[in-house]
Amino acid sequence: MGSPVVVQGTAVASPYDHSTQQPAAASAIPTARAEGDGGGGEKQETKCRDPIFALLLYGNVIAIIAVAGIYGTEAFTDAVDDSTSGYSYEGYIYATFILGAVSIVLTGVTLPIMMCIPELLIKVSLILMLILSGVMMVMMFLTGSIFGGIIGAIFFLIFCCYARAVWSRIPFASVNLLTACTAIRKNAGVIIVAYFFVAIAFGWTLLWSVSLMGVWEKVVVTEQQVGEYQSNSVNYGYLFLLFLSYFFTHQVIQNTTHVTVAGTVGSWWFSPEDATSCCSSGMMGSLIRALTTSFGSICFGSLLVAIVQSLKALAQSARNNDNQLLICLAECILNCLESILEYFNKWAFVYVGLYGYSYLEAGKNVFTLFKNRGWEAIIADDLVSNVFFFLSLCIGGICAAIGYAFDENSPEGWFDNSPNPTSVSATCAGLGFVAGLVLSSILMSTIASAVNTVIVCFAEGPAEFEANHPELSRKMRETWLEFYPACG
């Protein structure tokens, strides 16, 4: 390792093995590690972590391919033949491509906007969330739902208190957002990686759907009643395994992107010379590590969430059965577990991407982070998330408005043989909203991963930040000291 830097009297080894002299100003910033905790995170030796879980994923994918080939092909062909209607959907396909391109352009525009006015965006999004909460409360009362209105009023008051409490933290959150956007702009290749993994997720969904169609015909018992086929029983064991297969792989794809972004931002933070171009060595190295040595750790955490998601999907599929109260209670518990695990994984995978920890070792670091910085990390993450949500909604709304301009006569010939030609405008508006929301969310999720990484890196390595990015470090230090002047 390189020479340790001293932060508030604690020797903190530079995790990326760069000897860095700490500027005096950086000592004003506390690290996430208290004295006696053993210093900051250290980059781990290169070896595969948690490999058994990677093998489980490989086995899962192979099994689904085999099931799709054995059972799914015939079922899929029959479904396509049965659904042949003579309609042409070419116009909608063209419209979707156009609206998707518009969405990507608009999403690209949001990056410099977030860099120019991050604090204003956070304030506006927080106020809009407050207004939205109030509108929902009023709507409940207007529709005659007194109980729902009371619950809405309670949440509205809680949100008012929350907004008032976190308002002073907005400057610090805005600098986190600015820093994350700067890192992404310097390494724009991670956005391409994110879209690539979304394409893989789409292909996986299609493959899994074909497998589901084949298995469904084999395991679902049906009887013909009054000229219709009705399902009498479902083998929930097979159904659980299918759900687990889908969610497991989908979570791995999603978290691989997150780990790649974390590693890239970490390289930019600690070793900027390796991460200042579109497809920088830092970005490519992070992607390779995510797909090799850290892949087992990604699969480990993803499997935990997938198990809960599968149980939740199973409970939802059993809604028409008896014991509705127990099913509702089970769904509520599973929703809470899913949220907790996903939030924990979001931070654990930052440590996996930064240092190459195993999943359990990364989890220990998450507990240390929240022990020392818990509320500040949560508040900064939550404030920035509001911005991403509303920007995605805005892009979706703009694309919907553009889509509404299409009709059965414009462009000429596109919708001549489409189903429901009188509703072309509404359909294209819906397609535009979905395309805008989904495609913009990909970039927003990439920046969200970068924000989480910035929060961790600021807690772990403020000295390196000051040395490598002094202007951003000065802004973050000033906003931190505004709220914690005693640290100065």
Side-chain angles (χ1 to χ4, degrees):
M1 298 295 292
S3 302
V5 294
V6 178
V7 182
Q8 285 204 331
T10 304
V12 180
S14 175
Y16 282 79
D17 198 23
H18 289 277
S19 301
T20 309
Q21 296 298 321
Q22 179 198 7
S27 63
I29 308 300
T31 64
R33 314 276 180 159
E35 289 192 38
D37 284 349
E42 295 183 358
K43 192 171 184 181
Q44 304 299 292
E45 62 176 317
T46 302
K47 71 175 183 178
C48 291
R49 311 278 171 179
D50 305 313
I52 185 65
F53 297 97
L55 294 175
L56 286 176
L57 178 77
Y58 298 145
N60 167 53
V61 174
I62 292 171
I64 288 296
I65 293 174
V67 170
I70 297 171
Y71 300 111
T73 306
E74 183 180 351
F76 179 75
T77 303
D78 292 341
V80 170
D81 292 339
D82 292 341
S83 64
T84 302
S85 60
Y87 289 121
S88 172
Y89 295 89
E90 290 184 7
Y92 291 119
I93 295 173
Y94 295 151
T96 302
F97 274 108
I98 292 173
L99 294 170
V102 172
S103 170
I104 292 174
V105 172
L106 291 175
T107 302
V109 172
T110 61
L111 186 60
I113 291 176
M114 284 188 282
M115 294 180 67
C116 291
I117 50 172
E119 186 170 344
L120 177 61
L121 286 175
I122 293 176
K123 289 180 178 179
V124 170
S125 64
L126 186 61
I127 293 171
L128 288 176
M129 285 290 289
L130 189 62
I131 293 173
L132 182 61
S133 176
V135 169
M136 293 179 65
M137 174 193 67
V138 172
M139 288 180 63
M140 287 291 182
F141 282 119
L142 291 178
T143 55
S145 177
I146 303 301
F147 179 75
I150 293 174
I151 297 297
I154 293 173
F155 277 100
F156 177 72
L157 291 175
I158 292 174
F159 201 89
C160 287
C161 295
Y162 169 77
R164 185 176 183 275
V166 302
W167 194 263
S168 58
R169 267 92 160 183
I170 289 178
F172 180 68
S174 68
V175 180
N176 277 275
L177 177 58
L178 172 62
T179 304
C181 290
T182 302
I184 294 298
R185 183 175 62 84
K186 292 287 187 179
N187 299 272
V190 294
I191 301 174
I192 300 173
V193 170
Y195 280 104
F196 172 73
F197 278 117
V198 168
I200 292 179
F202 180 72
W204 167 250
T205 300
L206 292 179
L207 176 65
W208 181 85
S209 300
V210 172
S211 301
L212 176 65
M213 292 168 65
V215 173
W216 189 264
E217 288 192 352
K218 301 296 181 181
V219 303
V220 177
V221 179
T222 59
E223 288 186 0
Q224 188 173 9
Q225 298 178 2
V226 197
E228 295 182 356
Y229 285 97
Q230 295 183 354
S231 299
N232 277 345
S233 66
V234 178
N235 189 316
Y236 286 102
Y238 285 117
L239 203 56
F240 173 77
L241 291 176
L242 282 168
F243 284 143
L244 181 61
S245 172
Y246 176 74
F247 290 123
F248 183 24
T249 305
H250 192 274
Q251 280 287 319
V252 169
I253 294 170
Q254 175 182 322
N255 291 326
T256 300
T257 305
H258 182 43
V259 170
T260 302
V261 173
T264 303
V265 174
S267 295
W268 173 85
W269 186 284
F270 294 105
S271 181
E273 65 273 12
D274 295 333
T276 54
S277 62
C278 178
C279 296
S280 62
S281 60
M283 190 276 289
M284 294 304 297
S286 298
L287 176 61
I288 292 171
R289 288 194 300 273
L291 293 173
T292 53
T293 55
S294 294
F295 194 64
S297 301
I298 295 172
C299 294
F300 188 175
S302 300
L303 180 60
L304 298 178
V305 176
I307 291 172
V308 176
Q309 289 179 325
S310 302
L311 291 172
K312 187 176 74 171
L314 209 62
Q316 291 171 344
S317 67
R319 275 183 175 273
N320 293 329
N321 296 343
D322 298 329
N323 301 321
Q324 290 293 308
L325 181 60
L326 291 177
I327 291 174
C328 183
L329 181 62
E331 283 189 46
C332 182
I333 295 173
L334 290 170
N335 276 326
C336 293
L337 284 175
E338 180 186 5
S339 299
I340 292 171
L341 278 173
E342 285 185 334
Y343 197 79
F344 177 83
N345 277 357
K346 179 165 66 172
W347 297 99
F349 286 137
V350 169
Y351 281 96
V352 171
L354 282 175
Y355 303 115
Y357 285 124
S358 68
Y359 180 72
L360 294 179
E361 290 171 333
K364 295 176 183 177
N365 283 272
V366 173
F367 283 119
T368 302
L369 173 70
F370 282 99
K371 175 184 175 182
N372 295 281
R373 286 284 187 89
W375 286 113
E376 294 309 317
I378 293 172
I379 290 170
D381 175 48
D382 184 64
L383 288 173
V384 173
S385 296
N386 292 337
V387 175
F388 301 147
F389 173 71
F390 277 104
L391 284 177
S392 295
L393 280 184
C394 288
I395 292 173
I398 293 172
C399 290
I402 296 173
Y404 194 77
F406 291 99
D407 58 40
E408 64 271 19
N409 299 317
S410 176
E412 185 176 354
W414 279 21
F415 303 100
D416 287 348
N417 196 31
S418 62
N420 300 322
T422 57
S423 62
V424 167
S425 295
T427 303
C428 288
L431 290 172
F433 181 77
V434 172
L437 191 66
V438 171
L439 293 175
S440 62
S441 295
I442 296 170
L443 174 63
M444 299 306 165
S445 65
T446 303
I447 301 175
S449 299
V451 170
N452 297 142
T453 308
V454 166
I455 292 171
V456 171
C457 287
F458 184 62
E460 295 275 341
E464 291 88 341
F465 190 40
E466 175 70 23
N468 297 325
H469 310 281
E471 182 62 25
L472 289 171
S473 176
R474 179 187 61 79
K475 292 180 180 180
M476 193 172 292
R477 187 173 63 251
E478 289 175 353
T479 55
W480 176 269
L481 293 177
E482 283 180 11
F483 197 76
Y484 292 104
C487 292

